[in-house]
Amino acid sequence: MQKLYLETQKLDASCRASYGLSEEIMMENAAMALEFAVRNPYPISGDRRQPQKILILCGGGNNGADGYTLSRRLRFDYDVSIIQFFEPKTNLCKLQAERAEKCGVRFVKREDLSFYDLRFTDIIVDCVFGSGFHGDFDEKTHGALNDMNLCECFKIACDVPSGLREDGTVAEGAFIADLTVTMGALKTCLYSDMAKDIIGTVKCAELGVNRRLYENSSNSSFVKGMLLEESDLQLPHRSLCNVNKGSFGHVAIASGEKQGAAAIAGSAALRFGAGLVTLVHKHSSKKGLDIFPELMVSSDIPEKAMVIALGMGLGFNEDIYQFYFDYILSHGNIKCVIDADACYASGLKTFLEKKEKGVILTPHPKEFQAILKNCGFGDFSVEECVLNRLDLVERFCKKFPKKTLILKGANSVIAHYDGYKYKMFINPFGRPCLAKAGSGDVLSGMVAALLAQQRKPLDAAITASLAHSLASCKIKCDFAMTPYDLMQTLAQL
Protein backbone atom coordinates (compact mmCIF):
# COMPACT_ATOMS: atom_id res chain seq x y z
CA MET A 1 0.00 0.00 0.00
CA GLN A 2 1.07 3.57 -0.64
CA LYS A 3 0.02 6.67 1.26
CA LEU A 4 -2.27 9.20 -0.41
CA TYR A 5 -2.30 12.93 0.35
CA LEU A 6 -4.82 15.62 -0.48
CA GLU A 7 -1.94 18.00 -1.17
CA THR A 8 1.81 17.99 -0.52
CA GLN A 9 2.75 21.65 -0.04
CA LYS A 10 2.93 21.21 3.74
CA LEU A 11 5.00 18.07 3.26
CA ASP A 12 7.38 20.02 1.01
CA ALA A 13 7.82 22.68 3.67
CA SER A 14 8.25 20.10 6.43
CA CYS A 15 10.82 18.22 4.35
CA ARG A 16 12.86 21.39 3.80
CA ALA A 17 12.76 22.18 7.51
CA SER A 18 13.57 18.64 8.62
CA TYR A 19 16.40 17.85 6.23
CA GLY A 20 17.87 21.22 5.33
CA LEU A 21 16.83 21.07 1.69
CA SER A 22 16.09 24.15 -0.38
CA GLU A 23 13.31 24.59 -2.93
CA GLU A 24 15.97 24.73 -5.62
CA ILE A 25 17.46 21.36 -4.62
CA MET A 26 14.01 19.79 -4.62
CA MET A 27 13.30 21.34 -8.03
CA GLU A 28 16.50 19.89 -9.49
CA ASN A 29 15.42 16.46 -8.27
CA ALA A 30 11.96 16.93 -9.77
CA ALA A 31 13.56 17.84 -13.09
CA MET A 32 15.85 14.82 -12.82
CA ALA A 33 12.81 12.53 -12.52
CA LEU A 34 11.23 14.16 -15.56
CA GLU A 35 14.51 13.83 -17.42
CA PHE A 36 14.62 10.11 -16.69
CA ALA A 37 11.08 9.76 -18.05
CA VAL A 38 12.03 11.60 -21.24
CA ARG A 39 15.15 9.51 -21.75
CA ASN A 40 13.40 6.22 -20.94
CA PRO A 41 9.87 6.30 -22.37
CA TYR A 42 10.06 2.77 -23.79
CA PRO A 43 8.58 0.70 -20.92
CA ILE A 44 5.36 2.70 -21.13
CA SER A 45 5.11 3.78 -24.75
CA GLY A 46 6.45 0.57 -26.30
CA ASP A 47 8.07 2.75 -28.96
CA ARG A 48 11.64 1.74 -29.66
CA ARG A 49 12.58 4.93 -31.47
CA GLN A 50 14.99 7.25 -29.70
CA PRO A 51 13.05 10.48 -29.10
CA GLN A 52 14.55 13.53 -30.74
CA LYS A 53 12.15 16.46 -30.56
CA ILE A 54 10.95 17.46 -27.08
CA LEU A 55 8.33 20.14 -26.42
CA ILE A 56 7.96 21.46 -22.85
CA LEU A 57 4.88 23.48 -21.87
CA CYS A 58 5.66 25.97 -19.10
CA GLY A 59 3.39 28.01 -16.87
CA GLY A 60 4.36 30.94 -14.67
CA GLY A 61 4.64 29.14 -11.32
CA ASN A 62 6.96 26.55 -9.86
CA ASN A 63 5.48 23.83 -12.05
CA GLY A 64 6.69 25.89 -14.99
CA ALA A 65 10.04 26.25 -13.23
CA ASP A 66 10.34 22.45 -13.26
CA GLY A 67 9.88 22.59 -17.01
CA TYR A 68 12.56 25.25 -17.50
CA THR A 69 14.94 23.21 -15.33
CA LEU A 70 14.20 20.12 -17.40
CA SER A 71 14.91 21.96 -20.65
CA ARG A 72 18.36 22.95 -19.39
CA ARG A 73 19.17 19.35 -18.53
CA LEU A 74 18.09 18.11 -21.97
CA ARG A 75 19.79 20.83 -23.99
CA PHE A 76 22.13 19.51 -26.73
CA ASP A 77 21.00 15.90 -26.31
CA TYR A 78 17.61 16.70 -27.88
CA ASP A 79 15.88 19.32 -29.97
CA VAL A 80 14.16 21.10 -27.06
CA SER A 81 11.59 23.90 -27.28
CA ILE A 82 9.68 25.70 -24.52
CA ILE A 83 6.12 26.85 -25.11
CA GLN A 84 5.56 29.73 -22.69
CA PHE A 85 1.90 29.56 -21.72
CA PHE A 86 2.44 32.37 -19.21
CA GLU A 87 5.31 34.67 -18.32
CA PRO A 88 7.36 33.51 -15.30
CA LYS A 89 5.88 34.88 -12.07
CA THR A 90 7.53 33.19 -9.09
CA ASN A 91 11.15 33.91 -8.25
CA LEU A 92 12.24 30.35 -8.97
CA CYS A 93 10.39 30.29 -12.28
CA LYS A 94 12.11 33.52 -13.33
CA LEU A 95 15.50 32.15 -12.28
CA GLN A 96 15.09 28.83 -14.08
CA ALA A 97 13.75 30.53 -17.22
CA GLU A 98 16.82 32.78 -17.24
CA ARG A 99 19.13 29.79 -16.88
CA ALA A 100 17.36 27.91 -19.68
CA GLU A 101 17.62 30.95 -21.95
CA LYS A 102 21.36 31.26 -21.25
CA CYS A 103 21.75 27.60 -22.22
CA GLY A 104 20.22 28.37 -25.60
CA VAL A 105 16.84 26.69 -25.18
CA ARG A 106 14.33 27.83 -27.82
CA PHE A 107 11.38 29.78 -26.39
CA VAL A 108 8.02 30.00 -28.19
CA LYS A 109 5.20 32.25 -27.00
CA ARG A 110 1.76 30.69 -26.68
CA GLU A 111 0.36 33.16 -29.22
CA ASP A 112 2.97 31.95 -31.72
CA LEU A 113 2.03 28.29 -31.27
CA SER A 114 0.16 28.28 -34.59
CA PHE A 115 3.52 28.72 -36.35
CA TYR A 116 5.11 25.81 -34.47
CA ASP A 117 5.12 22.48 -36.32
CA LEU A 118 3.85 19.80 -33.94
CA ARG A 119 3.93 16.99 -36.49
CA PHE A 120 7.38 15.69 -35.69
CA THR A 121 7.25 16.12 -31.91
CA ASP A 122 8.26 12.95 -30.07
CA ILE A 123 7.46 13.94 -26.47
CA ILE A 124 5.39 16.71 -24.89
CA VAL A 125 5.96 17.52 -21.21
CA ASP A 126 3.17 19.40 -19.43
CA CYS A 127 4.49 21.82 -16.80
CA VAL A 128 1.76 24.45 -17.07
CA PHE A 129 -0.32 24.26 -13.87
CA GLY A 130 0.33 21.08 -11.90
CA SER A 131 -1.43 20.62 -8.57
CA GLY A 132 -2.06 24.34 -8.11
CA PHE A 133 -4.81 24.44 -10.72
CA HIS A 134 -8.34 25.56 -9.88
CA GLY A 135 -11.24 26.99 -11.86
CA ASP A 136 -11.29 26.59 -15.64
CA PHE A 137 -9.01 27.38 -18.56
CA ASP A 138 -9.21 30.61 -20.47
CA GLU A 139 -10.08 30.21 -24.14
CA LYS A 140 -6.50 30.44 -25.44
CA THR A 141 -5.12 27.94 -22.93
CA HIS A 142 -7.96 25.57 -23.67
CA GLY A 143 -7.23 25.78 -27.40
CA ALA A 144 -3.48 25.32 -26.96
CA LEU A 145 -3.84 22.28 -24.70
CA ASN A 146 -6.36 20.81 -27.11
CA ASP A 147 -3.74 21.08 -29.87
CA MET A 148 -1.29 19.22 -27.62
CA ASN A 149 -3.81 16.47 -26.91
CA LEU A 150 -4.36 15.97 -30.64
CA CYS A 151 -0.64 15.59 -31.27
CA GLU A 152 0.27 11.93 -31.82
CA CYS A 153 3.25 11.59 -29.50
CA PHE A 154 4.16 10.45 -26.00
CA LYS A 155 2.90 12.85 -23.31
CA ILE A 156 4.26 13.38 -19.79
CA ALA A 157 2.61 15.44 -17.04
CA CYS A 158 4.61 17.06 -14.25
CA ASP A 159 3.06 16.39 -10.81
CA VAL A 160 -0.54 16.21 -12.10
CA PRO A 161 -1.93 16.88 -15.60
CA SER A 162 -2.91 20.50 -16.12
CA GLY A 163 -6.65 20.79 -15.58
CA LEU A 164 -6.89 18.19 -12.81
CA ARG A 165 -8.17 19.97 -9.71
CA GLU A 166 -7.34 19.11 -6.10
CA ASP A 167 -10.77 17.57 -5.56
CA GLY A 168 -10.25 15.18 -8.47
CA THR A 169 -12.54 16.94 -10.91
CA VAL A 170 -11.25 17.62 -14.41
CA ALA A 171 -11.54 20.87 -16.36
CA GLU A 172 -12.66 20.74 -19.97
CA GLY A 173 -9.59 20.52 -22.21
CA ALA A 174 -7.30 19.04 -19.53
CA PHE A 175 -3.95 17.67 -20.66
CA ILE A 176 -4.16 13.93 -21.38
CA ALA A 177 -0.95 12.22 -20.26
CA ASP A 178 0.51 8.82 -21.00
CA LEU A 179 2.70 9.18 -17.92
CA THR A 180 2.32 11.38 -14.84
CA VAL A 181 5.47 11.99 -12.80
CA THR A 182 4.04 13.17 -9.48
CA MET A 183 6.37 14.91 -7.05
CA GLY A 184 7.19 13.73 -3.54
CA ALA A 185 4.11 11.65 -2.77
CA LEU A 186 0.88 10.44 -4.33
CA LYS A 187 -2.12 12.76 -4.42
CA THR A 188 -5.73 11.61 -4.00
CA CYS A 189 -6.80 13.67 -7.02
CA LEU A 190 -4.83 11.31 -9.28
CA TYR A 191 -7.17 8.48 -8.31
CA SER A 192 -10.58 10.04 -8.75
CA ASP A 193 -12.83 8.35 -11.29
CA MET A 194 -12.61 11.41 -13.57
CA ALA A 195 -8.81 11.45 -13.49
CA LYS A 196 -8.41 7.88 -14.70
CA ASP A 197 -8.68 8.83 -18.37
CA ILE A 198 -6.04 11.57 -18.25
CA ILE A 199 -3.24 10.48 -15.89
CA GLY A 200 -1.84 7.45 -17.74
CA THR A 201 0.73 5.56 -15.70
CA VAL A 202 1.75 7.27 -12.43
CA LYS A 203 5.33 7.37 -11.17
CA CYS A 204 6.32 9.05 -7.89
CA ALA A 205 9.53 11.11 -7.92
CA GLU A 206 11.82 11.58 -4.93
CA LEU A 207 12.84 15.18 -4.25
CA GLY A 208 16.25 14.90 -2.64
CA VAL A 209 15.55 12.43 0.13
CA ASN A 210 14.14 8.92 0.17
CA ARG A 211 10.36 8.93 -0.23
CA ARG A 212 9.88 7.42 3.25
CA LEU A 213 11.86 10.27 4.79
CA TYR A 214 9.82 12.76 2.79
CA GLU A 215 6.53 11.28 3.95
CA ASN A 216 7.74 10.93 7.55
CA SER A 217 8.93 14.53 7.76
CA SER A 218 5.60 15.49 9.29
CA ASN A 219 2.81 13.81 11.26
CA SER A 220 0.42 11.33 9.73
CA SER A 221 -2.57 13.69 9.85
CA PHE A 222 -1.80 14.70 6.26
CA VAL A 223 -2.48 11.15 5.04
CA LYS A 224 -5.90 10.96 3.39
CA GLY A 225 -5.92 7.23 2.65
CA MET A 226 -4.02 4.37 1.09
CA LEU A 227 -3.56 3.25 -2.49
CA LEU A 228 -3.86 -0.51 -2.90
CA GLU A 229 -1.22 -2.44 -4.82
CA GLU A 230 -1.25 -5.88 -6.40
CA SER A 231 0.96 -7.16 -3.58
CA ASP A 232 -1.84 -6.41 -1.09
CA LEU A 233 -3.92 -9.24 -2.53
CA GLN A 234 -4.33 -12.09 -0.04
CA LEU A 235 -6.11 -14.91 -1.84
CA PRO A 236 -8.04 -17.53 0.19
CA HIS A 237 -5.58 -20.36 -0.40
CA ARG A 238 -6.06 -23.47 1.74
CA SER A 239 -3.08 -24.46 3.85
CA LEU A 240 -4.66 -27.27 5.91
CA CYS A 241 -5.44 -30.71 4.47
CA ASN A 242 -7.68 -32.19 7.17
CA VAL A 243 -10.73 -30.13 6.18
CA ASN A 244 -14.19 -30.54 4.64
CA LYS A 245 -16.60 -28.26 2.80
CA GLY A 246 -18.03 -27.04 6.09
CA SER A 247 -14.60 -25.73 7.04
CA PHE A 248 -14.99 -22.95 4.46
CA GLY A 249 -18.39 -21.65 5.36
CA HIS A 250 -21.92 -21.66 4.02
CA VAL A 251 -23.22 -18.68 2.01
CA ALA A 252 -26.92 -18.02 1.46
CA ILE A 253 -27.87 -15.87 -1.52
CA ALA A 254 -31.35 -14.30 -1.47
CA SER A 255 -33.05 -14.95 -4.82
CA GLY A 256 -35.91 -12.85 -6.16
CA GLU A 257 -37.25 -11.25 -9.30
CA LYS A 258 -34.07 -11.57 -11.38
CA GLN A 259 -32.84 -15.01 -10.42
CA GLY A 260 -29.81 -14.84 -12.70
CA ALA A 261 -28.19 -12.19 -10.50
CA ALA A 262 -28.43 -14.47 -7.45
CA ALA A 263 -27.04 -17.39 -9.46
CA ILE A 264 -24.08 -15.29 -10.62
CA ALA A 265 -23.35 -14.20 -7.05
CA GLY A 266 -23.67 -17.77 -5.82
CA SER A 267 -21.34 -19.13 -8.50
CA ALA A 268 -18.79 -16.41 -7.67
CA ALA A 269 -18.97 -17.29 -3.96
CA LEU A 270 -18.28 -20.93 -4.74
CA ARG A 271 -15.48 -19.98 -7.15
CA PHE A 272 -13.85 -17.81 -4.48
CA GLY A 273 -13.60 -20.48 -1.84
CA ALA A 274 -16.93 -20.82 -0.03
CA GLY A 275 -17.54 -24.43 0.96
CA LEU A 276 -21.29 -24.40 0.33
CA VAL A 277 -23.67 -21.98 -1.39
CA THR A 278 -27.46 -22.03 -1.23
CA LEU A 279 -29.84 -19.96 -3.35
CA VAL A 280 -32.80 -19.07 -1.13
CA HIS A 281 -36.07 -18.70 -3.07
CA LYS A 282 -38.39 -18.11 -0.09
CA HIS A 283 -40.11 -15.20 -1.81
CA SER A 284 -39.82 -16.29 -5.43
CA SER A 285 -40.60 -19.20 -7.70
CA LYS A 286 -38.11 -22.05 -7.66
CA LYS A 287 -38.42 -22.39 -11.42
CA GLY A 288 -35.07 -21.86 -13.14
CA LEU A 289 -32.93 -22.07 -10.02
CA ASP A 290 -32.10 -25.77 -10.36
CA ILE A 291 -30.10 -25.39 -13.59
CA PHE A 292 -26.94 -24.71 -11.56
CA PRO A 293 -25.98 -28.16 -10.23
CA GLU A 294 -23.12 -26.84 -8.08
CA LEU A 295 -25.50 -24.56 -6.14
CA MET A 296 -28.02 -25.81 -3.61
CA VAL A 297 -31.57 -24.47 -3.68
CA SER A 298 -33.88 -24.02 -0.72
CA SER A 299 -37.08 -22.25 0.23
CA ASP A 300 -35.58 -21.49 3.65
CA ILE A 301 -32.36 -19.99 4.92
CA PRO A 302 -30.04 -22.88 5.87
CA GLU A 303 -29.53 -23.23 9.62
CA LYS A 304 -25.75 -23.29 9.24
CA ALA A 305 -25.55 -20.29 6.90
CA MET A 306 -22.77 -17.98 8.07
CA VAL A 307 -23.35 -15.19 5.54
CA ILE A 308 -26.44 -13.85 3.78
CA ALA A 309 -26.00 -11.80 0.62
CA LEU A 310 -29.09 -9.90 -0.46
CA GLY A 311 -30.15 -7.38 -3.05
CA MET A 312 -28.83 -8.93 -6.28
CA GLY A 313 -31.94 -9.02 -8.47
CA LEU A 314 -34.11 -9.36 -5.36
CA GLY A 315 -36.59 -6.63 -6.33
CA PHE A 316 -38.09 -3.83 -4.24
CA ASN A 317 -40.63 -5.52 -1.99
CA GLU A 318 -40.15 -3.96 1.45
CA ASP A 319 -41.64 -6.97 3.27
CA ILE A 320 -38.94 -9.22 1.80
CA TYR A 321 -36.17 -6.97 3.06
CA GLN A 322 -37.74 -6.68 6.46
CA PHE A 323 -37.84 -10.48 6.68
CA TYR A 324 -34.12 -10.76 5.91
CA PHE A 325 -33.19 -7.85 8.17
CA ASP A 326 -35.14 -9.36 11.08
CA TYR A 327 -33.62 -12.79 10.47
CA ILE A 328 -30.06 -11.43 10.44
CA LEU A 329 -30.66 -9.37 13.58
CA SER A 330 -32.12 -12.35 15.39
CA HIS A 331 -29.12 -14.50 14.44
CA GLY A 332 -26.33 -12.32 15.73
CA ASN A 333 -23.44 -14.33 14.32
CA ILE A 334 -24.61 -14.10 10.71
CA LYS A 335 -22.72 -11.62 8.56
CA CYS A 336 -24.25 -9.99 5.52
CA VAL A 337 -23.52 -8.35 2.19
CA ILE A 338 -25.84 -5.53 1.07
CA ASP A 339 -25.90 -4.80 -2.67
CA ALA A 340 -28.03 -3.66 -5.59
CA ASP A 341 -31.78 -3.55 -4.82
CA ALA A 342 -31.20 -3.80 -1.06
CA CYS A 343 -29.63 -0.34 -1.14
CA TYR A 344 -33.12 1.08 -1.77
CA ALA A 345 -34.78 -0.65 1.20
CA SER A 346 -36.44 1.87 3.52
CA GLY A 347 -35.54 -0.23 6.57
CA LEU A 348 -31.82 -0.15 5.82
CA LYS A 349 -31.05 2.71 8.22
CA THR A 350 -32.66 0.95 11.20
CA PHE A 351 -30.95 -2.31 10.27
CA LEU A 352 -27.51 -0.67 10.11
CA GLU A 353 -28.11 1.00 13.47
CA LYS A 354 -29.06 -2.30 15.11
CA LYS A 355 -26.57 -4.63 13.42
CA GLU A 356 -23.40 -3.99 15.39
CA LYS A 357 -20.86 -5.45 12.97
CA GLY A 358 -20.32 -7.89 10.12
CA VAL A 359 -21.95 -5.81 7.37
CA ILE A 360 -20.38 -4.98 4.00
CA LEU A 361 -22.19 -2.72 1.53
CA THR A 362 -21.15 -2.79 -2.14
CA PRO A 363 -23.06 -0.03 -3.99
CA HIS A 364 -22.28 1.73 -7.23
CA PRO A 365 -22.84 5.54 -7.20
CA LYS A 366 -26.58 5.42 -7.98
CA GLU A 367 -27.12 2.85 -5.24
CA PHE A 368 -24.97 4.90 -2.89
CA GLN A 369 -27.23 7.86 -3.65
CA ALA A 370 -30.19 5.79 -2.43
CA ILE A 371 -28.32 4.66 0.69
CA LEU A 372 -27.46 8.25 1.60
CA LYS A 373 -31.06 9.36 1.14
CA ASN A 374 -32.49 6.42 3.11
CA CYS A 375 -29.99 6.95 5.92
CA GLY A 376 -30.75 10.63 6.37
CA PHE A 377 -27.71 12.26 4.74
CA GLY A 378 -29.71 14.17 2.15
CA ASP A 379 -30.85 13.95 -1.44
CA PHE A 380 -27.62 14.02 -3.46
CA SER A 381 -27.38 13.63 -7.21
CA VAL A 382 -25.43 10.71 -8.65
CA GLU A 383 -22.88 13.24 -9.95
CA GLU A 384 -22.43 14.63 -6.43
CA CYS A 385 -21.91 11.10 -5.13
CA VAL A 386 -19.04 10.73 -7.61
CA LEU A 387 -17.51 14.20 -7.24
CA ASN A 388 -17.70 14.26 -3.43
CA ARG A 389 -17.27 10.55 -2.84
CA LEU A 390 -14.37 10.71 -0.37
CA ASP A 391 -16.22 13.11 1.91
CA LEU A 392 -19.54 11.27 1.64
CA VAL A 393 -17.96 7.87 2.21
CA GLU A 394 -16.22 9.16 5.35
CA ARG A 395 -19.42 10.70 6.66
CA PHE A 396 -21.33 7.48 6.08
CA CYS A 397 -18.74 5.28 7.78
CA LYS A 398 -18.50 7.53 10.81
CA LYS A 399 -22.27 7.55 11.22
CA PHE A 400 -22.36 3.75 10.98
CA PRO A 401 -19.19 2.51 12.68
CA LYS A 402 -17.97 -1.06 12.17
CA LYS A 403 -19.71 -1.23 8.79
CA THR A 404 -17.53 -1.63 5.69
CA LEU A 405 -18.30 0.14 2.44
CA ILE A 406 -17.09 -0.62 -1.09
CA LEU A 407 -18.13 2.23 -3.37
CA LYS A 408 -17.63 0.84 -6.84
CA GLY A 409 -16.25 2.96 -9.68
CA ALA A 410 -13.34 3.34 -12.07
CA ASN A 411 -11.21 3.53 -8.92
CA SER A 412 -13.27 1.86 -6.19
CA VAL A 413 -13.17 3.24 -2.64
CA ILE A 414 -13.13 0.90 0.37
CA ALA A 415 -13.68 2.42 3.81
CA HIS A 416 -14.27 1.42 7.42
CA TYR A 417 -14.53 3.21 10.77
CA ASP A 418 -14.03 1.05 13.85
CA GLY A 419 -15.16 3.73 16.28
CA TYR A 420 -11.65 5.07 16.83
CA LYS A 421 -9.86 5.26 13.50
CA TYR A 422 -11.15 5.86 9.98
CA LYS A 423 -9.46 3.92 7.16
CA MET A 424 -9.88 4.56 3.45
CA PHE A 425 -8.37 2.64 0.53
CA ILE A 426 -8.51 3.20 -3.22
CA ASN A 427 -8.33 0.32 -5.69
CA PRO A 428 -6.85 1.67 -8.98
CA PHE A 429 -7.08 -1.54 -11.03
CA GLY A 430 -10.64 -1.36 -12.36
CA ARG A 431 -11.06 -1.77 -16.11
CA PRO A 432 -13.88 -0.75 -18.49
CA CYS A 433 -14.72 -4.40 -19.22
CA LEU A 434 -16.30 -4.46 -15.74
CA ALA A 435 -18.96 -1.98 -16.87
CA LYS A 436 -21.42 -4.75 -17.66
CA ALA A 437 -24.42 -6.33 -15.96
CA GLY A 438 -23.40 -9.08 -13.57
CA SER A 439 -19.95 -7.78 -12.66
CA GLY A 440 -21.23 -6.35 -9.38
CA ASP A 441 -22.99 -9.62 -8.57
CA VAL A 442 -19.66 -11.41 -8.95
CA LEU A 443 -18.07 -9.01 -6.47
CA SER A 444 -20.87 -9.50 -3.93
CA GLY A 445 -20.46 -13.26 -4.13
CA MET A 446 -16.71 -12.97 -3.67
CA VAL A 447 -17.14 -10.75 -0.60
CA ALA A 448 -19.65 -13.19 0.89
CA ALA A 449 -17.27 -16.09 0.27
CA LEU A 450 -14.46 -14.41 2.21
CA LEU A 451 -16.76 -13.56 5.10
CA ALA A 452 -17.81 -17.22 5.21
CA GLN A 453 -14.13 -18.16 5.40
CA GLN A 454 -13.79 -16.03 8.54
CA ARG A 455 -12.04 -13.06 6.97
CA LYS A 456 -12.57 -9.81 8.82
CA PRO A 457 -14.94 -7.49 6.91
CA LEU A 458 -12.34 -4.86 5.93
CA ASP A 459 -9.90 -7.55 4.84
CA ALA A 460 -12.65 -9.32 2.89
CA ALA A 461 -13.62 -6.08 1.15
CA ILE A 462 -10.03 -5.25 0.16
CA THR A 463 -9.21 -8.76 -1.04
CA ALA A 464 -12.44 -9.24 -3.00
CA SER A 465 -12.20 -5.82 -4.64
CA LEU A 466 -8.56 -6.36 -5.63
CA ALA A 467 -9.14 -9.89 -6.93
CA HIS A 468 -12.21 -8.74 -8.87
CA SER A 469 -10.26 -5.94 -10.57
CA LEU A 470 -7.05 -7.89 -11.16
CA ALA A 471 -9.04 -10.74 -12.69
CA SER A 472 -10.53 -8.22 -15.12
CA CYS A 473 -7.00 -7.18 -16.10
CA LYS A 474 -6.49 -10.69 -17.49
CA ILE A 475 -9.43 -10.33 -19.88
CA LYS A 476 -7.94 -9.41 -23.26
CA CYS A 477 -11.08 -8.04 -24.92
CA ASP A 478 -12.47 -4.89 -23.33
CA PHE A 479 -16.07 -5.46 -24.46
CA ALA A 480 -16.72 -9.20 -24.70
CA MET A 481 -16.28 -10.23 -21.06
CA THR A 482 -19.15 -11.96 -19.27
CA PRO A 483 -19.49 -12.52 -15.51
CA TYR A 484 -18.50 -16.16 -16.00
CA ASP A 485 -15.37 -15.13 -17.91
CA LEU A 486 -14.48 -12.98 -14.92
CA MET A 487 -15.04 -15.86 -12.50
CA GLN A 488 -12.86 -18.21 -14.54
CA THR A 489 -9.93 -15.79 -14.46
CA LEU A 490 -9.95 -15.83 -10.65
CA ALA A 491 -8.13 -19.15 -10.83
CA GLN A 492 -5.31 -17.43 -12.74
CA LEU A 493 -4.50 -14.97 -9.96
Side-chain angles (χ1 to χ4, degrees):
M1 298 183 190
Q2 300 184 63
K3 296 176 182 177
L4 291 169
Y5 299 85
L6 191 62
E7 55 87 18
T8 56
Q9 292 180 351
K10 293 178 181 178
L11 271 178
D12 283 346
S14 180
C15 183
R16 291 194 295 271
S18 298
Y19 309 120
L21 301 179
S22 66
E23 280 191 274
E24 197 169 342
I25 289 175
M26 296 176 77
M27 186 168 289
E28 287 292 339
N29 280 277
M32 187 187 303
L34 291 171
E35 178 189 4
F36 181 85
V38 168
R39 294 185 185 274
N40 301 275
Y42 303 142
I44 295 171
S45 68
D47 190 346
R48 304 309 303 175
R49 294 179 303 114
Q50 179 63 35
Q52 298 294 331
K53 192 172 183 180
I54 313 298
L55 182 61
I56 303 173
L57 319 178
C58 288
N62 283 354
N63 198 253
D66 290 340
Y68 287 115
T69 307
L70 172 65
S71 72
R72 167 167 51 80
R73 300 177 70 95
L74 297 176
R75 177 70 174 121
F76 289 116
D77 289 341
Y78 301 92
D79 178 1
V80 182
S81 297
I82 291 280
I83 301 293
Q84 290 186 299
F85 272 62
F86 304 99
E87 289 293 326
K89 296 178 182 178
T90 66
N91 291 333
L92 267 179
C93 191
K94 292 176 182 177
L95 176 63
Q96 299 294 4
E98 181 182 346
R99 289 172 175 170
E101 188 174 19
K102 288 179 178 179
C103 289
V105 177
R106 183 189 305 116
F107 285 22
V108 179
K109 299 291 185 183
R110 183 179 64 177
E111 51 267 28
D112 296 328
L113 185 58
S114 58
F115 301 106
Y116 186 89
D117 191 349
L118 291 171
R119 289 178 298 169
F120 303 106
T121 300
D122 293 303
I123 295 177
I124 296 176
V125 185
D126 164 33
C127 300
V128 182
F129 288 107
S131 57
F133 180 78
H134 60 276
D136 293 292
F137 295 124
D138 60 69
E139 185 177 347
K140 290 183 178 179
T141 302
H142 182 285
L145 287 175
N146 187 59
D147 289 341
M148 301 301 152
N149 287 333
L150 293 175
C151 184
E152 295 183 1
C153 66
F154 190 69
K155 301 179 181 72
I156 301 171
C158 175
D159 201 25
V160 305
S162 291
L164 177 58
R165 306 183 185 98
E166 188 178 89
D167 63 0
T169 58
V170 176
E172 184 179 353
F175 186 81
I176 302 173
D178 298 296
L179 168 66
T180 296
V181 181
T182 196
M183 302 306 170
L186 298 177
K187 289 84 178 169
T188 54
C189 66
L190 293 169
Y191 299 98
S192 71
D193 283 358
M194 293 75 70
K196 193 154 189 169
D197 287 325
I198 70 168
I199 62 170
T201 301
V202 177
K203 299 291 184 183
C204 189
E206 295 183 350
L207 300 179
V209 293
N210 181 276
R211 182 173 165 190
R212 289 179 63 185
L213 286 175
Y214 176 86
E215 293 182 342
N216 292 336
S217 63
S218 188
N219 61 59
S220 60
S221 64
F222 295 152
V223 179
K224 184 67 175 177
M226 304 295 290
L227 182 73
L228 295 175
E229 300 177 279
E230 189 171 351
S231 59
D232 295 316
L233 179 64
Q234 300 294 322
L235 293 169
H237 290 297
R238 301 178 175 187
S239 58
L240 299 178
C241 296
N242 184 26
V243 293
N244 58 65
K245 58 190 176 184
S247 304
F248 303 101
H250 194 156
V251 174
I253 308 286
S255 175
E257 292 179 4
K258 298 179 177 65
Q259 296 177 352
I264 290 172
S267 296
L270 204 61
R271 173 71 69 166
F272 212 50
L276 302 98
V277 178
T278 297
L279 302 180
V280 180
H281 64 90
K282 190 173 184 66
H283 299 87
S284 66
S285 169
K286 183 180 178 180
K287 184 180 179 181
L289 284 174
D290 56 1
I291 64 173
F292 304 95
E294 71 276 19
L295 303 177
M296 296 182 290
V297 179
S298 174
S299 59
D300 295 304
I301 300 172
E303 288 185 8
K304 293 185 178 181
M306 301 172 66
V307 180
I308 295 178
L310 65 154
M312 297 76 70
L314 191 55
F316 301 97
N317 186 313
E318 293 291 347
D319 292 337
I320 294 175
Y321 288 108
Q322 198 56 54
F323 164 79
Y324 280 107
F325 290 157
D326 289 344
Y327 185 94
I328 294 168
L329 290 172
S330 65
H331 295 72
N333 293 328
I334 288 184
K335 300 172 184 175
C336 71
V337 178
I338 304 291
D339 186 31
D341 300 346
C343 299
Y344 297 86
S346 61
L348 181 60
K349 179 176 182 289
T350 301
F351 171 72
L352 293 176
E353 289 172 340
K354 292 182 177 180
K355 180 65 173 171
E356 184 179 350
K357 58 184 179 179
V359 179
I360 299 180
L361 302 97
T362 63
H364 57 53
K366 191 174 189 302
E367 293 160 354
F368 189 47
Q369 174 197 35
I371 290 173
L372 292 173
K373 184 175 181 179
N374 286 341
C375 293
F377 289 91
D379 194 0
F380 297 93
S381 67
V382 175
E383 183 181 35
E384 287 173 322
C385 290
V386 174
L387 297 181
N388 303 318
R389 63 178 187 161
L390 296 186
D391 176 60
L392 291 173
V393 164
E394 183 173 358
R395 287 172 58 190
F396 175 84
C397 288
K398 288 186 174 179
K399 182 172 181 179
F400 298 103
K402 299 182 181 180
K403 313 302 185 294
T404 303
L405 177 68
I406 303 174
L407 179 56
K408 294 176 287 194
N411 291 314
S412 295
V413 176
I414 302 155
H416 179 87
Y417 177 63
D418 63 6
Y420 301 96
K421 186 176 182 180
Y422 173 70
K423 297 180 180 179
M424 185 275 288
F425 306 84
I426 293 180
N427 174 4
F429 297 108
R431 290 188 61 235
C433 64
L434 290 170
K436 186 171 289 188
S439 294
D441 302 322
V442 173
L443 177 62
S444 295
M446 293 168 64
V447 171
L450 291 177
L451 288 177
Q453 293 169 83
Q454 302 298 328
R455 291 285 187 97
K456 293 180 179 179
L458 181 58
D459 177 47
I462 289 173
T463 296
S465 179
L466 273 177
H468 186 258
S469 298
L470 292 171
S472 77
C473 293
K474 295 183 179 293
I475 304 292
K476 292 182 179 180
C477 184
D478 59 4
F479 64 84
M481 187 198 79
T482 69
Y484 286 94
D485 294 329
L486 183 60
M487 284 184 237
Q488 289 174 358
T489 60
L490 290 174
Q492 301 173 26
L493 295 175

